[in-house]
Amino acid sequence: MPQKIRKAVFPAAGLGTRLLPATKAMPKEMLTLVDKPLIQYVVEEAAASGVESILIVTGRGKAAMEDHFDVSFELEQLLRERGKENLLKVARGVSEIARISYTRQREALGLGHAIYQGRDFVEDEPFAVMLADDIVDAERPALRQMIDVYEKYDAPVLGTMRVEGEAISRFGVIDAEEVEPGVYKIRDMVEKPKFEDAPSDLAIIGRYILTPDIFDEIERTKPGAGGEIQITDAMRKLLQKRPFYAMRLEGTRHDAGDKLGFLVATVEFALKRPDLAPQFAKYLRNLKLN
Ligand code: UTP
């Protein structure tokens, strides 16, 4: 029986330069889709998938995340005094979603290096890695879909999605054999290939299930593209030593760390909200677009 996935590492120490100036003094993970910060969507996905304990890897200027998931004593007191029971429930609920701890990545040396900061937290268990700027809107939570595959194959699983055309060059891409519909055994992977060199149209997105043997590989990984320690490089090395799987996630993935992706996600999520959708849809229909 594979060990249960109880822990998740959330690398959130990146500088978010694509969203400047918004991210100059505010973590991109705290940007909101409608009224909920990106990171809360993903913490909720983790909890709904059975994760009990989360480590958020932060950096300078990221304290708002810690405050967000903490109890807000003054706010709760005020809402209680004013009889705003529903809002009180909303505020209180945020601090009760999961057990969260924090550590710092002192320098933004890359995603692989950020994940490495989770070594002591993870100990010797398999674990999830979740990037809060990848929002997957799915009926069955994306991580839960991956845990199902992990439990069947007892091996690391990467979350992927089909990406058409030149856009594939922005991702890590897998070269793999389909072993059952939507599940792949990975032969190799490459970071940000040219379109013509991409081994498939399956792009790695911000969901990973990894095993603790990844840490030794990260330790041995030298800085690659952009002087950063790339998780793809470490995973490629581990791939030579153990089976590695990927799955095609069901659902829609939004890159909320990109301006256009963020706008699209905002519109989609607003249109799903019963309290906003009728009026918002009416507004959109009346826009005179040519
Ligand atoms: P991105 O490639 O999106 O980089 O990182 P970024 O710095 O956050 O954003 P841009 O590209 O400058 O706009 C992917 C994920 O890895 C984390 C980021 O927080 C993000 O969730 N990361 C990246 C770290 O935690 N540390 C790093 O050193 C690099």
Side-chain angles (χ1 to χ4, degrees):
M1 196 47 194
Q3 254 179 301
K4 198 171 172 291
I5 306 288
R6 300 189 310 126
K7 298 177 181 177
V9 175
F10 278 51
L15 300 177
T17 55
R18 282 173 295 159
L19 291 174
L20 279 169
T23 48
K24 198 171 166 224
M26 188 177 67
K28 73 169 164 186
E29 294 79 10
M30 286 301 293
L31 292 171
T32 56
L33 293 182
V34 186
D35 53 8
K36 203 193 277 187
L38 297 175
I39 193 157
Q40 188 180 333
Y41 285 97
V42 185
V43 166
E44 286 175 354
E45 179 190 322
S49 303
V51 166
E52 296 159 14
S53 193
I54 290 171
L55 177 74
I56 302 183
V57 181
T58 66
R60 274 179 293 281
K62 300 274 187 171
M65 280 189 278
E66 298 184 37
D67 291 337
H68 184 70
F69 291 108
D70 196 2
V71 172
S72 176
F73 183 77
E74 297 84 349
L75 176 66
E76 289 186 17
Q77 181 75 7
L78 187 97
L79 294 172
R80 203 171 291 115
E81 279 166 17
R82 295 192 179 166
K84 308 244 180 200
E85 292 302 322
N86 280 345
L87 291 178
L88 181 61
K89 237 194 263 166
V90 170
R92 169 50 54 128
V94 179
S95 60
E96 292 171 345
I97 308 169
R99 209 163 54 232
I100 304 182
S101 49
Y102 303 85
T103 193
R104 285 247 178 159
Q105 183 188 18
R106 286 155 71 190
E107 280 181 273
L109 295 178
L111 179 57
H113 182 259
I115 294 171
Y116 190 79
Q117 309 308 309
R119 186 170 201 162
D120 290 346
F121 164 80
V122 163
E123 295 179 305
D124 55 358
E125 295 184 30
F127 64 105
V129 172
M130 307 178 81
L131 303 187
D133 44 2
D134 266 341
I135 301 291
V136 187
D137 184 12
E139 224 160 274
R140 195 162 165 69
L143 184 67
R144 187 62 244 176
Q145 297 176 36
M146 292 169 61
I147 290 176
D148 291 345
V149 174
Y150 158 79
E151 285 177 346
K152 184 162 171 191
Y153 292 92
D154 196 6
V157 181
L158 306 184
T160 68
M161 286 200 159
R162 283 199 198 288
V163 170
E164 282 172 25
E166 307 266 342
I168 195 80
S169 298
R170 295 204 297 268
F171 296 84
V173 182
I174 61 166
D175 172 12
E177 172 200 351
E178 192 163 20
V179 290
E180 61 174 290
V183 180
Y184 303 82
K185 185 154 192 286
I186 302 180
R187 279 188 291 260
D188 200 359
M189 55 186 106
V190 30
E191 187 60 36
K192 301 189 174 66
K194 284 195 200 132
F195 171 57
E196 52 279 15
D197 297 336
S200 73
D201 60 356
L202 289 169
I204 303 169
I205 65 148
R207 299 286 183 279
Y208 310 71
I209 291 176
L210 297 173
T211 41
D213 46 2
I214 193 68
F215 292 115
D216 282 342
E217 300 302 338
I218 298 175
E219 212 167 67
R220 284 194 276 268
T221 302
K222 302 222 164 50
E228 297 195 330
I229 296 177
Q230 303 286 347
I231 189 63
T232 309
D233 291 341
M235 292 193 301
R236 280 190 80 200
K237 275 190 263 162
L238 192 53
L239 187 62
Q240 289 158 15
K241 300 181 184 163
R242 60 139 68 237
F244 229 96
Y245 290 83
M247 69 165 304
R248 199 172 63 240
L249 288 166
E250 273 164 32
T252 308
R253 175 241 182 205
H254 298 287
D255 180 3
D258 167 80
K259 280 177 196 162
L260 185 60
F262 182 81
L263 282 174
V264 170
T266 300
V267 172
E268 297 270 339
F269 277 69
L271 287 173
K272 278 172 187 266
R273 282 276 298 259
D275 54 335
L276 294 168
Q279 274 173 294
F280 189 51
K282 192 169 155 207
Y283 163 76
L284 292 176
R285 271 195 295 269
N286 286 336
L287 284 178
K288 299 204 168 32
L289 304 173
N290 38 14

